[in-house]
């Protein structure tokens, strides 16, 4: 009898432990070799000292406990301002995971089904066309009818056939530019629904559901959140994700009083030397988080801290629950983090409903276990969640492209080498 009571007590303690709120305070963990984990600092210092990296923030969470959280290098190279752990990063495409969670909340309320046509909500996407021939001289094209409608599942898995403005294929960049469809990277004085309606009239790169093409899928999902909920994407995410989770530093519009926490953005010149990102470079002014905007890009518009984003990921790792609040259903999170694409080559990483999924073959090549899910952002932020290890890792920078981006894999190797059991 005493044995059974002890097991029950341990279960209750464990359940309470995983439901608790994350603390930014670093604590030792019996499953982590702290001396080995400290090599994260060593690796990134070497890259900063060699002028291969300006600065970064790294955070590692094991069993709902922060075991590593640190700023490295500089938030601003010119002034030698140190990178603070609480820096607010332009997370660009890390926005996609949050928007995907937002649309799945509406799925849970019965607002749509995953294989329902998005044309039921934005009619301009009904009866889509697929590009056939393209003339780069004048961006003219011919098209054929799509075999079927675009679904919510297509958007969540980037298999709809939508391309990306500014960073996609040459032909789709040109077609979107001519039509005035923005990428979502930066500030845009436009109406999101109007731009998505224009997108709906343009051809797809391929038949829906037949290929993975990274595109404006999540910007469209953000628009669908606005259409279905009747709220702006900013209002919806604040009310349904940020406030319940206690994410206090995640914004489309970063408040002026927090502007000093934004690191400078860097790129490279032709000789691969690090230089500051100019306001006109690639048509993205790095001050865009401070611009008051109403065009909310569900694919690239948010800024956040490593700790705030870790809270979001901890909620997913907890099966949709955090601090006593059920943000998503357990089974919904399982769907989001399960492989969805049957055309992916055997052994290759797959894609879930908003996240890349580590395959068994990949798990044999690197530290992450099969079923880990991840993504990153245009300016050099990246994250992964390893459910088998009950671990969350983020590496946040503001430097792209980076000829020495192998630091990310090295940091990952260090983290996994520190695991004791």
């Amino acid at each position: 009898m005493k044995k059974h009571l002890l097991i029950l007590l341990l279960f209750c303690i464990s359940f309470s432990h995983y439901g608790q709120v994350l603390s930014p305070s670093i604590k030792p963990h019996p499953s982590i070799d702290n001396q080995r984990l400290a090599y994260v600092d060593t690796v990134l210092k070497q890259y900063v000292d060699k002028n291969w990296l300006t600065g970064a923030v790294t955070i590692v969470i094991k069993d709902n406990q922060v075991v590593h959280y640190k700023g490295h290098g500089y938030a601003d190279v010119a002034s030698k301002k140190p990178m603070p752990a609480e820096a607010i990063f332009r997370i660009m495409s890390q926005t996609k995971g949050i928007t995907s969670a937002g649309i799945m909340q509406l799925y849970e309320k019965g607002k749509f089904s995953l294989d329902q046509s998005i044309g039921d909500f934005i009619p301009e996407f009904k009866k889509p066309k697929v590009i056939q021939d393209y003339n780069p001289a004048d961006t003219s094209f011919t098209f054929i009818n799509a075999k079927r409608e675009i679904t919510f599942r297509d958007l969540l898995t980037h298999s709809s056939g939508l391309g990306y403005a500014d960073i996609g294929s040459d032909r789709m960049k040109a077609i979107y530019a001519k039509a005035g469809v923005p990428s979502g990277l930066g500030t845009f004085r436009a109406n999101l629904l109007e731009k998505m309606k224009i997108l709906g009239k343009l051809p797809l790169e391929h038949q829906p559901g037949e290929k993975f093409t990274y595109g404006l899928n999540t910007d469209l999902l953000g628009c669908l959140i606005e259409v279905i909920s009747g709220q702006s994407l900013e209002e919806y995410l604040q009310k349904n994700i940020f406030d319940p989770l206690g994410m206090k530093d995640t914004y489309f519009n970063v408040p002026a009083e927090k502007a000093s926490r934004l690191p400078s953005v860097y790129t490279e010149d032709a000789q691969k030397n690090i230089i500051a990102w100019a306001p006109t470079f690639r048509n993205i002014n790095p001050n865009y988080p401070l611009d008051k905007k109403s065009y909310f890009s569900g694919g690239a518009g948010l800024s956040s801290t490593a700790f705030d984003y870790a809270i979001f990921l901890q909620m997913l790792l907890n099966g949709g629950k955090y601090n006593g609040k059920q943000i998503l259903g357990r089974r919904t999170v399982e769907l989001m983090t399960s492989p969805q694409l049957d055309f992916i080559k055997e052994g290759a990483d797959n894609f879930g409903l908003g996240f890349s999924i580590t395959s068994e073959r990949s798990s044999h090549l690197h530290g992450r276990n099969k079923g880990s899910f991840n993504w990153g952002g245009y300016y050099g932020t990246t994250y992964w969640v390893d459910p088998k290890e009950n671990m969350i890792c983020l590496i946040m920078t503001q430097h792209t492209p980076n000829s020495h981006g192998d630091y990310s894999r090295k940091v990952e190797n260090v983290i996994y080498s520190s695991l004791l059991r």
Side-chain angles (χ1 to χ4, degrees):
M1 183 68 179
K2 288 182 179 179
K3 183 179 179 181
H4 291 304
L5 287 173
L6 178 60
I7 292 172
L8 180 61
L9 178 62
L10 290 173
F11 174 81
C12 291
I13 291 172
S14 175
F15 182 83
S16 174
H17 175 68
Y18 290 114
Q20 71 187 26
V21 176
L22 286 177
S23 169
S25 300
I26 301 169
K27 295 181 180 179
H29 192 288
S31 296
I32 297 289
D33 184 327
N34 289 316
Q35 286 187 316
R36 284 178 174 268
L37 189 58
Y39 277 104
V40 169
D41 304 349
T42 304
V43 168
L44 292 176
K45 185 177 186 303
Q46 289 174 346
Y47 276 72
V48 171
D49 290 347
K50 292 179 180 179
N51 202 30
W52 289 350
L53 179 69
T54 55
V57 171
T58 48
I59 189 168
V60 180
I61 295 167
K62 171 72 172 165
D63 298 333
N64 207 86
Q65 179 180 312
V66 175
V67 296
H68 168 92
Y69 182 29
K70 189 172 182 179
H72 312 265
Y74 304 105
D76 183 74
V77 174
S79 65
K80 297 298 182 184
K81 178 183 177 182
M83 178 69 79
E86 65 273 14
I88 297 176
F89 291 85
R90 305 153 186 84
I91 63 172
M92 289 286 190
S93 285
Q94 282 190 208
T95 305
K96 290 180 170 66
I98 293 175
T99 301
S100 298
I103 196 73
M104 291 303 288
Q105 288 178 321
L106 295 172
Y107 158 81
E108 289 185 327
K109 293 178 179 178
K111 300 295 185 179
F112 64 90
S113 63
L114 288 174
D115 297 309
Q116 184 175 355
S117 169
I118 62 170
D120 291 345
F121 299 90
I122 305 178
E124 283 76 7
F125 282 92
K126 288 183 177 180
K127 298 181 179 179
K129 310 295 183 183
V130 178
I131 195 166
Q132 187 173 39
D133 297 307
Y134 171 70
N135 183 355
D138 60 2
T139 69
S140 62
F141 54 83
T142 60
F143 56 81
I144 57 175
N145 293 328
K147 297 177 182 177
R148 64 167 176 80
E149 299 289 309
I150 299 170
T151 67
F152 284 86
R153 194 187 303 271
D154 293 331
L155 297 182
L156 284 158
T157 56
H158 290 273
S159 60
S160 66
L162 291 174
Y164 228 132
D166 292 343
I167 60 174
S169 67
D170 288 342
R171 64 182 185 179
M172 299 312 289
K173 284 192 295 184
I175 290 171
Y176 291 164
K178 187 175 182 178
V181 174
S183 65
L185 282 67
T187 300
F188 302 94
R189 308 299 179 194
N191 179 279
L192 178 61
L193 179 57
E194 289 178 2
K195 291 299 183 182
M196 293 300 101
K197 286 180 177 180
I198 294 172
L199 179 65
K201 294 296 186 181
L202 299 176
L204 304 173
E205 283 215 78
H206 55 76
Q207 292 288 344
E210 293 189 359
K211 287 177 62 178
F212 178 92
T213 299
Y214 196 49
L216 288 168
N217 300 279
T218 323
D219 280 65
L220 181 50
L221 286 171
C223 183
L224 285 162
I225 287 175
E226 294 193 341
V227 170
I228 295 170
S229 72
Q231 299 174 281
S232 73
L233 185 59
E234 181 181 48
E235 293 168 337
Y236 180 87
L237 295 181
Q238 191 69 48
K239 179 180 178 181
N240 294 281
I241 294 180
F242 304 153
D243 286 345
L245 290 178
M247 295 172 66
K248 299 176 181 178
D249 288 316
T250 303
Y251 305 98
F252 283 106
N253 292 298
V254 174
E257 61 269 21
K258 295 187 178 183
S260 62
R261 292 169 58 188
L262 286 164
S264 299
V265 182
Y266 296 91
T267 185
E268 297 178 353
D269 62 18
Q271 290 72 44
K272 299 182 179 179
N273 298 310
I274 296 175
I275 58 173
W277 187 286
T280 56
F281 184 58
R282 296 186 177 178
N283 298 315
I284 307 173
N285 187 325
N287 286 327
Y288 74 84
L290 303 174
D291 292 339
K292 186 64 178 176
K293 64 186 76 65
S294 58
Y295 186 101
F296 303 118
S297 168
L302 287 172
S303 297
S304 187
T305 62
F307 185 74
D308 248 23
Y309 207 89
I311 290 173
F312 169 71
L313 296 176
Q314 186 67 61
M315 175 272 294
L316 296 175
L317 189 55
N318 290 351
K321 189 173 185 178
Y322 183 84
N323 191 26
K325 298 179 178 67
Q326 197 74 46
I327 305 301
L328 286 166
R330 174 187 59 81
R331 183 62 185 137
T332 301
V333 175
E334 290 174 355
L335 284 174
M336 294 178 71
T337 56
S338 297
Q340 297 283 323
L341 302 177
D342 56 11
F343 54 75
I344 297 294
K345 184 172 69 174
E346 185 177 357
D349 290 350
N350 209 298
F351 209 84
L353 303 177
F355 308 95
S356 178
I357 312 295
T358 300
S359 69
E360 184 171 3
R361 182 176 182 277
S362 289
S363 74
H364 295 161
L365 299 175
H366 303 290
R368 300 178 200 180
N369 288 290
K370 179 183 177 182
S372 296
F373 54 96
N374 71 90
W375 205 242
Y378 180 74
Y379 273 146
T381 59
T382 189
Y383 68 87
W384 71 95
V385 179
D386 190 329
K388 183 177 180 181
E389 301 293 348
N390 203 29
M391 186 168 69
I392 296 164
C393 308
L394 294 104
I395 307 170
M396 311 285 269
T397 75
Q398 300 282 253
H399 177 177
T400 191
N402 188 339
S403 300
H404 301 280
D406 58 346
Y407 67 84
S408 181
R409 183 64 75 181
K410 290 180 180 179
V411 168
E412 178 182 340
N413 296 342
V414 169
I415 291 169
Y416 280 93
S417 76
S418 74
L419 298 177
L420 296 173
R421 59 179 184 272

